[in-house]
């Protein structure tokens, strides 16, 4: 009873935060590569993808947080509770593969940012990004989740400033933006980019992570007024976080569509940065690079945090964070060392993430629509239908993408 009074006495805004950590996954360097590539190549054609993907992400993140609050279990733990050992191991392998693809995007993005800012070799920049991410994770280990949330939210603010500033320098044409809200594609490459944008927006590791973040921050309250209040706060938390993430993603595409379409050498982040400097000036380009760096540093630490939660939940094992950091860094550093085009690697990593989304969404919708598990907070029928619709759309898009890649 005393705990209920304490929770009610706290201003609701003090309970915000978990969704902002999860939202970092939606503005990582993979988003930068996918959104800028889409805007530079197809103008405003794929604006609708960002809007739809952001709406999907809001629903998914709320369901994930609700699962953690209501059941006291993270999504990986809940999956483990309802699967046999062999299935659980196979499920973990695909989740780990997706986590590696996530880390690839984040480390490569941080390396590109350090190259743009300080002319550091990409391999050294990638190593620095990995080391700094460990420092950010140390904040969570030593100072607790709330301090970690504040640090990550601060980096999210830097990211927002870095990418939104350019919209005020060169405003995109309203009619063209409105036309981009009409769903359509223009060839196989636009479908590839749409899948990459979707994979960069509805991130599997963020779906797994948010359930644990909400549970660890708010606990596992019994059914009643306290839980209903926390679920209301969680809806606000998710709504605000996704509003920020959606605005940043949209800004990336609009800036590219307004200033980079038709220009040469804009098929890479480095080329896009140079084009932004030429079109909008060095100050905007500097903010662009700083935003990219903040994105890489924040997202790689959040990704490592999610990877540890996935492993612990599915395998009931924990390994030293340094070991996990080194293992997941190896593929990213290998990509940088052998000279693969980093921007293309970023886009393709987001396609890999898109293939991992159904494995996170299907059990999430199934579990949160289970009356026996969720009690009075089970999904409304409309919510369940929307959840299955999101999973179906993403799955169909991936099948179409495979067909286009194979036949193209």
């Amino acid at each position: 009873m005393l705990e209920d009074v304490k929770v009610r006495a706290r201003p609701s805004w003090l309970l915000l935060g978990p969704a902002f950590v999860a939202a970092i996954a939606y503005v990582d360097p993979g988003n930068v590569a996918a959104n800028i590539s889409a805007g530079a190549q197809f103008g405003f054609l794929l604006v609708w993808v960002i809007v739809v993907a952001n709406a999907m992400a809001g629903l998914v993140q709320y369901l994930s947080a609700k699962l953690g609050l209501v059941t006291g279990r993270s999504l990986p733990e809940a999956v483990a509770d309802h699967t046999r050992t062999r299935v659980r191991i196979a499920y973990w392998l695909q989740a780990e593969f997706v986590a590696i693809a996530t880390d690839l995007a984040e480390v490569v993005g941080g390396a590109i940012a350090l190259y743009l800012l300080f002319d550091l070799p990409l391999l050294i920049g990638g190593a620095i990004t990995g080391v700094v991410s460990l420092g950010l994770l140390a904040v969570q280990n030593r100072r607790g989740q709330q301090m970690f949330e504040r640090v990550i939210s601060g980096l999210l603010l830097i990211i927002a400033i870095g990418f939104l500033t350019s919209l005020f320098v060169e405003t995109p044409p309203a009619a063209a933006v409105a036309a981009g809200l009409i769903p359509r594609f223009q060839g196989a490459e636009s479908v590839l980019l749409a899948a990459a944008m979707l994979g960069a927006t509805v991130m599997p590791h963020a779906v797994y992570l948010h359930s644990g973040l909400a549970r660890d921050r708010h606990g596992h309250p019994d059914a009643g007024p306290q839980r209903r209040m926390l679920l209301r706060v969680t809806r606000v938390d998710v709504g605000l976080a996704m509003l920020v993430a959606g605005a940043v993603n949209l800004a990336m595409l609009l800036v590219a569509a307004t200033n980079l379409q038709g220009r040469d050498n804009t098929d890479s982040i480095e080329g896009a940065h140079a084009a932004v400097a030429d079109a909008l000036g060095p100050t905007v380009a500097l903010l662009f690079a700083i935003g990219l760096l903040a994105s890489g540093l924040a997202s790689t630490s959040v990704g490592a945090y999610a990877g540890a939660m996935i492993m612990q939940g599915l395998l009931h094992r924990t390994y030293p964070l340094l070991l996990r950091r080194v293992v997941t860094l190896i593929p990213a550093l290998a990509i940088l060392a052998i000279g693969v085009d980093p921007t293309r690697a970023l886009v393709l990593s987001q396609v890999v993430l898109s293939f991992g989304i159904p494995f996170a969404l299907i059990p999430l919708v199934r579990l949160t629509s289970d009356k026996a598990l969720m009690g009075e907070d089970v999904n409304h029928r409309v919510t369940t239908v929307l959840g299955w619709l999101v999973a179906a759309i993403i799955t169909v898009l991936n099948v179409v993408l495979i067909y286009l890649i194979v036949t193209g």
Side-chain angles (χ1 to χ4, degrees):
M1 182 67 177
L2 181 59
E3 289 184 359
D4 290 355
V5 173
K6 286 181 178 179
V7 170
R8 287 196 297 269
R10 297 177 67 188
S12 294
W13 63 268
L14 289 177
L15 300 174
L16 304 178
F20 285 84
V21 175
I24 284 292
Y26 297 102
V27 290
D28 78 344
N31 292 80
V32 180
N35 294 332
I36 287 179
S37 295
Q41 292 183 46
F42 297 102
F44 301 94
L45 178 75
L46 299 178
V47 166
W48 68 273
V49 175
I50 288 181
V51 175
V52 171
N54 206 64
M56 289 179 176
L59 172 64
V60 168
Q61 292 306 136
Y62 174 67
L63 292 181
S64 177
K66 183 171 78 166
L67 177 70
L69 277 172
V70 173
T71 68
R73 307 289 282 170
S74 69
L75 178 56
E77 290 171 339
V79 169
D81 292 341
H82 292 81
T83 53
R84 292 175 296 181
T85 301
R86 290 182 180 180
V87 175
R88 188 165 65 246
I89 292 173
Y91 190 92
W92 168 76
L93 286 173
Q94 67 80 27
E96 198 68 35
F97 183 67
V98 168
I100 291 173
T102 301
D103 218 37
L104 169 65
E106 293 155 352
V107 173
V108 170
I112 294 173
L114 289 170
Y115 169 75
L116 295 176
L117 288 168
F118 306 111
D119 203 28
L120 286 177
L122 291 175
L123 184 59
I124 294 176
I128 291 174
T129 301
V131 170
V132 173
S133 71
L134 274 176
L136 293 174
L137 288 169
V139 171
Q140 192 274 335
N141 288 333
R142 297 180 181 179
R143 301 294 299 277
Q145 183 173 322
Q146 285 186 261
M147 180 57 70
F148 182 66
E149 289 172 4
R150 291 169 187 165
V151 172
I152 295 299
S153 296
L155 289 171
L156 179 59
L157 178 61
I158 293 173
I159 296 167
I161 293 172
F163 291 110
L164 288 171
T165 303
S166 52
L167 287 181
F168 298 97
V169 178
E170 185 68 33
T171 305
V177 175
L181 294 172
I182 301 172
R184 63 196 189 280
F185 295 107
Q186 188 176 310
E189 183 67 17
S190 68
V191 177
L192 176 66
L193 282 172
M197 293 162 68
L198 192 62
T201 304
V202 186
M203 297 283 276
H205 76 282
V207 180
Y208 296 122
L209 177 65
H210 201 168
S211 54
L213 289 172
R215 185 263 325 266
D216 294 344
R217 176 68 182 278
H218 301 308
H220 175 212
D222 293 330
Q226 182 187 3
R227 184 194 286 178
R228 288 195 294 272
M229 183 275 294
L230 288 173
L231 288 173
R232 286 196 300 271
V233 171
T234 296
R235 285 193 289 271
V236 174
D237 193 26
V238 171
L240 291 175
M242 296 314 302
L243 181 64
V244 174
V248 172
N249 280 317
L250 187 58
M252 294 174 193
L253 187 143
L254 295 182
V255 167
T258 304
N259 301 286
L260 306 185
Q261 192 177 18
R263 288 177 175 265
D264 295 329
N265 302 319
T266 57
D267 55 349
S268 68
I269 291 180
E270 302 97 307
H273 176 264
V276 166
D278 181 56
L280 302 177
T283 301
V284 174
L286 176 62
L287 291 172
F288 176 98
I290 292 173
L292 178 63
L293 178 61
S295 170
L297 295 177
S299 58
T300 193
S301 62
V302 171
Y305 188 8
M309 183 177 291
I310 291 168
M311 176 176 284
Q312 183 175 359
L314 290 170
L315 301 185
H316 306 300
R317 295 181 181 179
T318 57
Y319 292 93
L321 201 54
L322 178 60
L323 177 61
R324 276 200 58 85
R325 178 75 289 185
V326 170
V327 169
T328 55
L329 267 177
I330 290 173
L333 295 180
I335 289 291
L336 295 174
I338 63 180
V340 175
D341 176 27
T343 301
R344 189 63 176 176
L346 280 174
V347 173
L348 291 178
S349 73
Q350 303 311 293
V351 176
V352 172
L353 296 183
S354 185
F355 289 118
I357 295 170
F359 291 97
L361 292 191
I362 291 173
L364 177 64
V365 178
R366 174 68 185 85
L367 290 167
T368 54
S369 60
D370 185 343
K371 176 71 173 178
L373 181 66
M374 301 294 291
E376 67 180 41
D377 294 303
V378 67
N379 289 344
H380 188 279
R381 287 183 180 179
V382 174
T383 304
T384 299
V385 170
L386 290 175
W388 286 124
L389 181 61
V390 169
I393 290 172
I394 294 172
T395 302
V396 169
L397 181 59
N398 289 337
V399 171
V400 172
L401 177 61
I402 293 173
Y403 172 78
L404 291 174
I405 291 175
V406 171
T407 60

